[in-house]
Amino acid sequence: MKHTFLLVLSFLIGSTGFSCRSVSVPNNKLKAESIMNEPQGDVEFSEVRRLNSEVQLNNFVIIKDFSETVKLYGKIADKRFSRSEPIPTLEENEFFLLLKPIMKKQTFGDFEVTKMEMKGSVLNVYYKEIKNEEYFLNKQKNPIVILRVNGVAPSGVKLINLNK
């Protein structure tokens, strides 16, 4: 019985094209690339939260772990409400990026991030100011956006306003 099973198994493996053979590639055809190179190019991101607050924050804040996230959500929590927004968690190879750019064209406006790209170890964030009727009617300035960004946290962030 055991021999029959092995015979059938070897027949099935042989007939489906699977084989156990060694493959070698000539050295001159290999292209060596370092895995440790700085990432370049477009970066994927998604919006986690959008709010308007006069809390004192830098133009950008990079958040790499849950304890930093808890501190940030403590700062931006609206004290008028007993319940706060759920605190999101990070997956591996992600970080949060809080953006609070200085609005130049739309004092009571909002902004939209159009693109992010890595240039060396710096993350370039392209955004444009947009009209927001709610902010205008309520005379709210200081829009804040929290983004979930895929990749390794950069050493710095450069905000680039496309409305110039």
Side-chain angles (χ1 to χ4, degrees):
M1 179 79 174
K2 191 177 199 183
H3 295 292
T4 307
F5 175 73
L6 290 174
L7 183 63
V8 170
L9 183 61
S10 65
F11 175 74
L12 288 174
I13 290 174
S15 67
T16 58
F18 293 110
S19 64
C20 296
R21 59 183 168 159
S22 175
V23 177
S24 64
V25 178
N27 286 337
N28 60 355
K29 295 207 178 192
L30 291 177
K31 183 178 178 184
E33 289 188 29
S34 172
I35 296 175
M36 300 306 289
N37 282 347
E38 296 293 337
Q40 301 291 321
D42 289 352
V43 175
E44 291 183 32
F45 63 93
S46 61
E47 188 173 302
V48 174
R49 187 167 178 200
R50 181 176 291 274
L51 67 143
N52 190 290
S53 176
E54 293 193 29
V55 66
Q56 295 297 320
L57 294 168
N58 292 334
N59 290 350
F60 69 88
V61 178
I62 298 171
I63 303 158
K64 302 177 209 170
D65 61 40
F66 189 69
S67 64
E68 293 175 7
T69 308
V70 170
K71 287 178 189 175
L72 173 69
Y73 270 69
K75 285 182 184 178
I76 63 174
D78 192 339
K79 308 299 185 221
R80 297 176 295 172
F81 302 107
S82 60
R83 297 184 68 142
S84 65
E85 187 84 14
I87 299 174
T89 58
L90 289 167
E91 298 294 326
E92 188 175 328
N93 206 27
E94 286 183 337
F95 63 95
F96 290 127
L97 179 62
L98 177 136
L99 298 174
K100 185 182 176 186
I102 298 169
M103 304 298 282
K104 296 178 181 171
K105 299 274 185 189
Q106 302 286 329
T107 305
F108 299 109
D110 202 356
F111 69 98
E112 175 182 59
V113 176
T114 58
K115 179 181 171 181
M116 286 189 199
E117 66 181 0
M118 286 297 275
K119 292 284 186 173
S121 63
V122 176
L123 180 65
N124 289 338
V125 179
Y126 299 90
Y127 72 97
K128 60 183 177 179
E129 296 179 23
I130 56 175
K131 290 183 181 180
N132 184 318
E133 292 298 321
E134 180 183 351
Y135 288 4
F136 181 75
L137 292 173
N138 295 325
K139 302 294 183 216
Q140 294 176 321
K141 35 188 177 178
N142 307 314
I144 297 173
V145 172
I146 300 173
L147 303 170
R148 179 184 306 270
V149 184
N150 295 336
V152 179
S155 62
V157 174
K158 183 178 179 183
L159 297 176
I160 302 168
N161 189 339
L162 298 174
N163 292 97
K164 294 181 181 182

